[in-house]
Amino acid sequence: MKRITIKDVAKEAGVSITTVSHALSGQGVLKQETRDRVAQIAKRMQYIPDWSGQNLKSAETGMLGFFTSSISGFYGVLMEAMHHECGLHGYEMEIFIIESGERLLQLLMGKRVDGAVVLHSGLKEEQERFLYDMEFPVVYLDREIRERHTSSVLFDSYQAGRMAAEYLYALGHRRILTLRGVDWTYDGLQRQTGFEDYMREKNCPVEQEYNISALFNRFVAYDEIKAFLKKGLPLPDAVFAGNDDSAFGCIKALMEAGYSVPEDISVLGCDDIELSQWYTPALTTIRTHITEQGGLAIRELTELLSGKKEGRIHRIKGELIERSSCRRKGE
């Protein structure tokens, strides 16, 4: 099958080769509708830029990109770790906060960066495959992919969920409320699945009324706990929050309702963000080693760029950090 060239895309779109280049790279002065139309045509024609071409080798940017849909929560720590590691390897880092996988693909097709770290649930499977076909170096932080030019650096979130369940169960807690994260993200799904699997194995499954979505957000968690308390159901022995941020919202709602943590109810978080140790009560949590993930992601990406190694999957184990927000039932 004939390889589609930029000239073919230009002919199909009825524009110049320069316009195609600018549309796919995000450069130049073009109407947004022109950029979108050219990008759609390039995708439909399965145009894959020739990264191995001599012109592109001589046009390396010296820049690595971090692509995400949000920089809230622990992302600041993650980005700082990546930026530091970039400097050690002679790269600069550019951060792209974008909504869609389509826009991510467009930016990468335009060779804005030499390689990418991606933490973006909006990137679809067909777009993953397109990046693989482009042989573009990518490290994912939110999905398990191992290809020649693709690696994943992940928290072992399933094990973190099991660790949380094992800890609360060992403290004698049986009726446990879970504040789920974002169900369609890797970490949200894996943490919840690990927790539920362990409790089910102990013949103590999480009851439906005690399984609440908090979207990794303290404000949502606060509102959901307030709503739960109004139902008049038996108070849970403990709460497992999908991240520390939602644990904070949970504790605030409980304390405003007159309950004491951990005297009336234990609360366990996940991530161990900096505020966790300063919060009152200091939060017991699962440390997910965010700084380690950021540094390892950049090291892995530079190795992919050098061609020294093919893609791998790295899983970073969590660590239980005991503080003041949990205690043994009955004590």
Side-chain angles (χ1 to χ4, degrees):
M1 180 177 177
K2 176 189 173 185
R3 183 183 180 96
I4 300 298
T5 67
I6 192 171
K7 184 176 180 181
D8 297 324
V9 176
K11 182 177 180 181
E12 179 71 15
V15 297
S16 68
I17 291 175
T18 300
T19 297
V20 173
S21 177
H22 286 173
L24 298 182
S25 67
Q27 299 174 354
V29 181
L30 296 176
K31 293 181 179 179
Q32 189 59 48
E33 60 186 73
T34 301
R35 294 187 189 278
D36 293 343
R37 186 171 67 86
V38 171
Q40 290 171 3
I41 291 172
K43 181 182 176 183
R44 172 170 54 80
M45 295 180 70
Q46 298 184 317
Y47 166 60
I48 300 172
D50 183 11
W51 300 129
S52 62
Q54 184 62 39
N55 61 322
L56 289 173
K57 282 188 176 180
S58 63
E60 291 179 351
T61 66
M63 188 80 67
L64 302 181
F66 175 51
F67 293 81
T68 184
S69 59
S70 171
I71 55 171
S72 63
F74 67 81
Y75 283 21
V77 176
L78 177 68
M79 289 184 293
E80 187 173 303
M82 289 192 294
H83 180 261
H84 175 74
E85 194 70 28
C86 280
L88 297 179
H89 294 273
Y91 285 96
E92 295 183 53
M93 186 177 79
E94 189 168 0
I95 298 165
F96 299 86
I97 307 170
I98 53 179
E99 292 187 4
S100 71
E102 286 285 348
R103 180 57 178 155
L104 189 156
L105 197 62
Q106 182 181 9
L107 289 167
L108 293 185
M109 287 174 66
K111 199 62 168 63
R112 290 285 297 272
V113 294
D114 297 333
V117 177
V118 175
L119 176 55
H120 200 300
S121 59
L123 190 70
K124 298 173 182 166
E125 187 174 344
E126 64 186 61
Q127 293 159 346
E128 294 170 5
R129 178 54 49 182
F130 195 82
L131 289 175
Y132 168 72
D133 290 340
M134 287 167 59
E135 299 185 353
F136 193 92
V138 178
V139 173
Y140 291 104
L141 305 184
D142 62 352
R143 62 199 71 195
E144 294 185 33
I145 303 179
R146 181 179 62 187
E147 303 284 2
R148 182 180 175 189
H149 303 282
T150 308
S151 291
S152 292
V153 177
L154 308 165
F155 299 136
D156 194 342
S157 286
Y158 178 83
Q159 190 59 38
R162 290 187 64 91
M163 187 185 303
E166 182 179 12
Y167 176 71
L168 293 176
Y169 189 89
L171 291 178
H173 302 312
R174 299 295 181 266
R175 180 183 291 120
I176 302 175
L177 184 148
T178 59
L179 285 171
R180 304 193 316 274
V182 180
D183 294 338
W184 58 89
T185 64
Y186 177 86
D187 289 314
L189 179 60
Q190 291 292 310
R191 289 176 190 181
Q192 185 69 20
T193 301
F195 190 92
E196 291 185 3
D197 282 355
Y198 183 90
M199 296 303 292
R200 193 178 299 111
E201 291 166 14
K202 293 296 183 180
N203 296 314
C204 191
V206 177
E207 300 174 47
Q208 184 175 352
E209 296 87 351
Y210 292 80
N211 188 344
I212 299 172
S213 176
L215 302 177
F216 287 144
N217 185 292
R218 75 178 68 181
F219 302 105
V220 176
Y222 174 86
D223 290 340
E224 289 294 338
I225 291 297
K226 286 282 193 182
F228 171 83
L229 293 173
K230 288 180 180 179
K231 294 178 180 179
L233 294 169
L235 191 70
D237 301 330
V239 173
F240 170 53
N243 71 342
D244 294 341
D245 200 51
S246 51
F248 300 149
C250 170
I251 292 173
K252 180 176 175 60
L254 289 170
M255 295 180 75
E256 286 184 0
Y259 295 105
S260 178
V261 177
E263 286 76 10
D264 296 319
I265 181 170
S266 292
V267 177
L268 174 66
C270 195
D271 283 332
D272 192 31
I273 63 175
E274 185 176 6
L275 182 59
S276 299
Q277 62 182 311
W278 302 109
Y279 200 78
T280 303
L283 187 66
T284 298
T285 185
I286 306 294
R287 180 177 293 165
T288 52
H289 300 287
I290 299 163
T291 299
E292 181 181 343
Q293 186 190 36
L296 180 55
I298 295 300
R299 291 195 297 275
E300 183 68 20
L301 185 56
T302 58
E303 289 187 350
L304 291 175
L305 283 162
S306 70
K308 294 178 181 178
K309 294 183 180 179
E310 295 190 354
R312 295 169 290 179
I313 292 177
H314 300 267
R315 288 185 178 85
I316 300 171
K317 298 291 185 183
E319 176 187 0
L320 179 69
I321 305 298
E322 293 187 85
R323 296 194 179 103
S324 307
S325 65
C326 294
R327 74 175 189 175
R328 185 173 299 277
K329 185 178 179 180
E331 290 186 356

